[in-house]
Amino acid sequence: MMTLEEALDRILSSINPLPEEVVAISEAVGRVPTQALLAPTDLPPFDNSAFDGYAVRSVDVARASKENPVILEATGSVKAGEAPVEIVGPGTCMRILTGALLPAGADAVVMQEDTRIPREGVVEVLDAVKAWEGVRMAGDDVRRGAVLADAGEALRPAHMGLLAGSGFARIAVHRRPRVTLLSTGNELIPLGGVLKPGQIYDSNSLLMRALADQDRLPIVHTGHIPDTLEQTMAELHDAARQADVVVTTGGVSVGDADFVKPAMAALGGSLDLWRIAIKPGKPFAFGRLGAAYWFGLPGNPVSAFVTWWLLVRPALRRLMGRRSTRGRRVLACLAEPVANRGDRRHFIRVRFDDAGKVRLAGVQASHVQSSLAIADALLDMPPGAHWETGREVMVECVD
Ligand code: AMP
Ligand code: MG
């Protein structure tokens, strides 16, 4: 059986990022630029006031204090959005509001709170300011030419402000993979249906849809396949023509009703890997059918979740153009002893407690969804390991 790393390596090395498309910046959250986005201008674009006050020449007020106020003549005002024509000359100042362009001649702003107005047209400055105090300098956030967002890095909400602030309206990003999600099994009933004895709801469809939504992927089709070779072939055939990625759950083990691999073979698809030395998720399969990538997840819901997280998600991210496909890992401290008595590497569902330490999220069997639902992270544990309370462990967040 393959290790997780070998499997991931084989999958990622067979995948190239999808080609470029141009999208409006308003649609770009989560998307991945094909080229570094460089600042076309300084940000802020001009020297401006950090607060409401008076634009001054710092030399004029270098000795100002409460006891010895400096008296300046007020010669006008500038609000945000205006471009002042007057110049601040010796002995004068100009009323200025937050974000307004610093008038020529001035090199500092005195806070309104540090001034008094004895009469119209006169300002008493009660505190000294140094040159450039109270001024947000052009380019102090971003210098023209600086990297605002790197190629291969997914754009976050905060990038939107930065890019919009720099005037980007449309950007080139990798196309997102179109995904088809297929569940298999005669026992599965769609949501809203009435269960007969022996039947269960098709929960994996929803689970996978929610996972795909986290990466904002377009889902072209969600379907259910009964356990027959013909129907499995027909669904896979259609799916591979419409989607970049086809994910199935169930039917990849060695049971009599497991038709996904035989159907792939009958359609001329490739089975590039099958079975990984992890728990849960051993029967995971990966291959290609036509131009589509196929991921065969085990049917047990927790196995489906864990293999999506550890194998499908990195592949989707690579297709989206992300350089780093790794999940977020954090160092944590065990709040209780944990053991892996099995002979396979176990990804254990853990939860952060109120003290910030991790403990088991509950029963670890691969059909148990209640512990998965409350898990914050997966703890990667080698076979035979016994770890004590207080041990520092690396966990991969799954929330
Ligand atoms: P399989 O790999 O098809 O043998 O399925 C393994 C286990 O997962 C069985 O108990 C199935 O009933 C269950 N299972 C398979 N597909 C789903 C699904 N879409 N939703 C919920 N449970 C499923
Ligand atoms: Mg099945």
Side-chain angles (χ1 to χ4, degrees):
M1 244 185 301
M2 227 179 248
T3 67
L4 175 66
E5 285 73 18
E6 284 165 349
L8 197 55
D9 216 51
R10 191 176 291 191
I11 293 169
L12 292 181
S13 60
S14 71
I15 286 180
N16 287 320
L18 292 168
E20 174 176 294
E21 66 182 357
V22 174
V23 297
I25 193 77
S26 54
E27 304 297 317
V29 181
R31 304 300 293 270
V32 182
T34 52
Q35 285 174 2
L37 303 176
L38 305 182
T41 55
D42 282 351
L43 257 187
F46 48 85
D47 296 345
N48 67 90
S49 181
F51 31 69
D52 300 332
Y54 293 88
V56 298
R57 292 159 23 101
S58 57
V59 287
D60 288 354
V61 296
R63 287 166 201 284
S65 68
K66 261 208 184 79
E67 297 71 37
N68 291 303
V70 171
I71 296 169
L72 300 173
E73 181 197 342
T75 59
S77 80
V78 51
K79 299 193 184 78
E82 295 174 355
V85 283
E86 300 101 326
I87 288 175
V88 174
T92 73
C93 66
M94 199 181 287
R95 175 83 177 130
I96 192 166
L97 301 183
T98 309
L101 196 159
L102 190 73
D107 69 348
V109 177
V110 184
M111 244 185 231
Q112 184 167 324
E113 291 82 340
D114 294 329
T115 62
R116 251 190 334 237
I117 314 292
R119 59 183 182 279
E120 176 87 23
V122 174
V123 177
E124 286 181 4
V125 177
L126 309 176
D127 200 10
V129 293
K130 296 197 193 67
W132 307 112
E133 245 184 274
V135 179
R136 303 189 292 208
M137 309 266 282
D140 76 358
D141 181 353
V142 172
R143 282 250 165 252
R144 183 177 166 204
V147 175
L148 299 174
D150 218 343
E153 266 182 43
L155 298 176
R156 304 169 178 207
H159 280 116
M160 297 304 114
L162 184 62
L163 293 170
S166 299
F168 282 89
R170 295 163 70 73
I171 58 170
V173 295
H174 291 280
R175 186 165 75 66
R176 288 175 302 188
R178 292 177 308 237
V179 179
T180 282
L181 306 169
L182 299 170
S183 59
T184 72
N186 285 344
E187 73 278 30
L188 303 180
I189 298 300
L191 301 189
V194 177
L195 298 182
K196 297 202 187 89
Q199 296 180 329
I200 57 172
Y201 289 117
D202 172 6
S203 63
N204 285 350
S205 289
L206 257 287
L207 173 70
M208 291 192 291
R209 179 174 273 277
L211 285 164
D213 282 345
Q214 280 194 330
D215 279 319
R216 300 167 196 258
L217 300 177
I219 297 168
V220 287
H221 176 60
T222 307
H224 167 244
I225 318 177
D227 292 321
T228 73
L229 180 63
E230 296 69 32
Q231 292 184 75
T232 309
M233 283 175 66
E235 286 283 344
L236 283 176
H237 173 77
D238 288 351
R241 291 191 354 182
Q242 291 162 9
D244 302 298
V245 170
V246 179
V247 188
T248 59
T249 62
V252 276
S253 289
V254 290
D256 302 335
D258 290 339
F259 290 108
V260 181
K261 286 192 286 117
M264 279 289 290
L267 290 167
S270 67
L271 179 66
D272 299 342
L273 67 90
W274 180 51
R275 307 226 289 184
I276 301 179
I278 58 170
K279 180 185 165 174
K282 181 171 86 171
F284 174 87
F286 168 72
R288 302 208 53 170
L289 183 56
Y293 299 95
W294 163 64
F295 296 86
L297 311 191
N300 272 309
V302 182
S303 312
F305 179 93
V306 168
T307 49
W308 180 294
W309 201 271
L310 298 177
L311 293 148
V312 180
R313 201 162 175 260
L316 294 168
R317 292 182 161 189
R318 176 55 50 84
L319 285 164
M320 292 165 71
R322 285 174 70 151
R323 260 187 216 143
S324 165
T325 59
R326 279 201 132 176
R328 187 161 47 96
R329 292 171 196 210
V330 297
L331 207 52
C333 180
L334 285 183
E336 62 185 347
V338 185
N340 176 5
R341 296 194 180 81
D343 57 2
R344 252 180 296 150
R345 183 171 169 187
H346 195 173
F347 285 87
I348 295 175
R349 283 150 262 172
V350 293
R351 179 174 169 76
F352 288 98
D353 65 14
D354 291 340
K357 298 186 172 170
V358 293
R359 52 178 70 243
L360 295 177
V363 175
Q364 299 289 324
S366 59
H367 67 287
V368 172
Q369 300 203 65
S370 51
S371 58
L372 181 63
I374 61 162
D376 297 311
L378 296 173
L379 172 63
D380 176 2
M381 232 183 148
H386 291 261
W387 290 346
E388 295 306 321
T389 303
R391 184 187 173 105
E392 288 225 307
V393 292
M394 194 67 103
V395 298
E396 173 150 343
C397 300
V398 292
D399 49 352

